[in-house]
Amino acid sequence: MGSPTKSLVAGDVEIVRRVLAHIDAGTTDEGPAWREPVENYVNPARFAAEFDLLRATPSAFIPSAAIPNRGDHVERTVFGVPLFAVRGPDQRARVFRNACRHRGFALVEGAGCAHALVCRYHGWTYRLDGSLAHVPHAEAFPDLDMAARGLVEVTSHEVDGLIVIDALDSSAGQQCGAEPVLAWLTNGIPWRDKLLPAQRLVYAESIVRAMNWKVLVEQFLEGYHIRTTHKNTFFPLQYDDLNVVEMFGPNCRITFPYRNIERLRDRPEATWTTDARVTYLYHLFPNVMLATFPDLVLMVVIDPVDVEHSTTTVYSMAKAAAAPAASLDPPDNPAGSLVARGSIEDNDMSAGVQHGLHAGANAFLEFGTHESAIGHFHATLRDRLATSRREPDARPMATRNEREV
């Protein structure tokens, strides 16, 4: 499959039409229901299969806004692999494996800006393009080929406000068909007009949560919970269980409308805009969410650690023309903002789901027709596991051994 040439998500006018029709009818977008076995959340063998698949899958690494200037750099561990991105003097963003070529020390820690990348263990120094520039006491390494000992680059693409990386396990990526996933991530037509105005990174944080990565992804993909989970945060502003759901390849976009969208009813359609009237949630398979708000855009990345732990990294980006944000407190104290409080509520619910997975009450989790984006996510993951032949065999080990003999 080639890269899409036109957007497969609706424009503002069509979204407003669909939302108003749902309001009038008391309906929401519907799709296939889905049942996901609890075993798929708690089985270490299933997690190992997913982890291998994710390393063979392209993914969005960071927003371009995280490294806007020459020398800016930031690191993140992706599917267990430490990486960092740096903006070079040619304004190109490059992604490297985060290890000095001498003793493997992590070269970049956190975020910063520098004219060169210097290992703080022994002082090996690299240019911003990754080439090795200086080795203290170079005479001690008589066989060192400096031209061949630059940093190890990961193929990346900067497109429409995102820096996207190719599969970290490239050979496995070829076997399980990574190209279609990459094609959908490197054409940002569905999100570019929403993300590109948010060019100023105002806050970033990363935290390890005691939850399976799929539980965390699921919390973003439905509006069925707005009334009960967000009674005093999002529900006064938004509708419960009213969404427009659109799929594009393995990805999807969910529209969460605000109540003020009804003010458009008496205005000419040519003037309709969804700005400040909806939140768009883009799920970029496998583990990245882009969420739009009136004055900022969030990029949320869920990195699996093990079967019961994941790292959540959030990049908050302000729109260049926005006035002081109503939904974002000063960057050094974001905990009281509306978006942050809603996130805390979502994470509390996800923690409860994770706890309940071990109760022995359910053989599967039930996702209804109003939660079809979650089913799309699980179906995509299932199909890619099957294509890559990474789906763990559910039969006892003795049975597998007998078959192999």
Side-chain angles (χ1 to χ4, degrees):
M1 181 189 71
S3 180
T5 57
K6 65 179 181 178
S7 180
L8 294 182
V9 295
D12 282 10
V13 171
E14 178 59 23
I15 289 294
V16 174
R17 286 177 185 155
R18 291 171 67 174
V19 168
L20 294 180
H22 280 316
I23 293 171
D24 293 340
T27 55
T28 187
D29 275 14
E30 296 187 356
W34 185 268
R35 289 177 170 176
E36 183 68 7
V38 168
E39 182 74 3
N40 288 349
Y41 298 89
V42 300
N43 186 336
R46 165 69 182 229
F47 175 83
E50 293 172 352
F51 203 68
D52 287 346
L53 175 68
L54 295 179
R55 286 191 176 188
T57 302
S59 62
F61 181 43
I62 60 171
S64 297
I67 53 168
N69 304 310
R70 169 179 174 166
D72 287 346
H73 51 268
V74 64
E75 54 86 20
R76 206 186 93 234
T77 296
V78 180
F79 311 140
V81 180
L83 304 176
F84 74 90
V86 59
R87 181 80 62 186
D90 55 0
Q91 288 303 305
R92 178 184 160 194
R94 295 173 174 85
V95 178
F96 298 99
R97 294 177 184 263
N98 193 7
C100 178
R101 299 304 305 281
H102 172 218
R103 296 269 292 279
F105 189 84
L107 193 64
V108 170
E109 299 169 277
C113 184
H115 295 294
L117 303 168
V118 182
C119 179
R120 65 184 183 89
Y121 194 177
H122 295 95
W124 283 39
T125 302
Y126 303 85
R127 301 178 184 90
L128 299 180
D129 65 2
S131 58
L132 182 58
H134 174 67
V135 174
H137 303 291
E139 69 278 3
F141 303 90
D143 298 325
L144 177 65
D145 180 357
M146 292 187 62
R149 294 304 291 274
L151 299 172
V152 177
E153 187 169 0
V154 174
T155 303
S156 63
H157 319 263
E158 186 169 17
V159 184
D160 296 322
L162 294 178
I163 297 171
V164 174
I165 57 173
D166 282 13
L168 295 172
D169 183 346
S170 57
S171 60
Q174 293 172 0
Q175 294 172 7
C176 67
E179 293 83 0
V181 176
L182 182 63
W184 286 105
L185 290 178
T186 52
N187 186 313
I189 291 174
W191 65 81
R192 81 165 51 127
D193 64 329
K194 312 302 180 187
L195 177 59
L196 288 180
Q199 290 297 302
R200 183 168 60 90
L201 184 71
V202 295
Y203 187 74
E205 67 173 357
S206 186
I207 185 169
V208 176
R209 301 191 182 279
M211 298 172 226
N212 182 275
W213 73 283
K214 299 187 297 296
V215 171
L216 285 164
V217 170
E218 290 165 356
Q219 69 174 235
F220 293 91
L221 302 185
E222 46 89 4
Y224 178 47
H225 69 288
I226 298 294
R227 183 193 298 269
T228 51
T229 298
H230 303 298
K231 181 173 64 174
N232 297 314
T233 51
F234 295 145
F235 181 58
L237 304 174
Q238 295 180 308
Y239 298 91
D240 180 59
D241 198 24
L242 195 168
N243 301 106
V244 175
V245 181
E246 304 164 278
M247 314 303 182
F248 52 106
N251 312 311
C252 72
R253 184 177 79 169
I254 307 169
T255 302
F256 295 82
Y258 304 158
R259 297 178 187 273
N260 66 6
I261 200 168
E262 296 205 50
R263 298 176 188 171
L264 298 178
R265 287 184 184 273
D266 298 325
R267 301 180 187 179
E269 282 194 3
T271 68
W272 284 1
T273 175
T274 58
D275 289 350
R277 300 192 188 280
V278 309
T279 281
Y280 288 114
L281 189 288
Y282 297 84
H283 174 217
L284 304 183
F285 185 84
N287 65 325
V288 171
M289 270 59 62
L290 302 176
T292 71
F293 295 94
D295 51 355
L296 75 158
V297 176
L298 304 185
M299 177 173 171
V300 183
V301 187
I302 310 298
D303 279 309
V305 175
D306 58 37
V307 69
E308 292 196 345
H309 294 86
S310 308
T311 300
T312 300
T313 304
V314 181
Y315 303 93
S316 299
M317 295 160 284
K319 296 179 180 178
S327 59
L328 183 70
D329 288 347
D332 60 348
N333 185 26
S337 72
L338 176 66
V339 175
R341 285 185 285 124
S343 177
I344 290 169
E345 292 165 346
D346 280 328
N347 287 322
D348 284 346
M349 297 304 105
S350 293
V353 170
Q354 182 70 35
H355 190 64
L357 292 174
H358 298 281
N362 299 306
F364 53 83
L365 300 189
E366 187 92 57
F367 299 102
T369 61
H370 297 187
E371 302 166 282
S372 59
I374 298 177
H376 178 69
F377 163 57
H378 283 295
T380 301
L381 183 61
R382 177 204 60 191
D383 293 347
R384 287 188 56 76
L385 284 167
T387 300
S388 67
R389 299 180 180 176
R390 284 177 165 80
E391 187 73 53
D393 195 327
R395 287 176 288 177
M397 182 65 73
T399 303
R400 292 202 301 271
N401 289 343
E402 290 166 3
R403 182 192 67 216
E404 292 166 1
V405 171

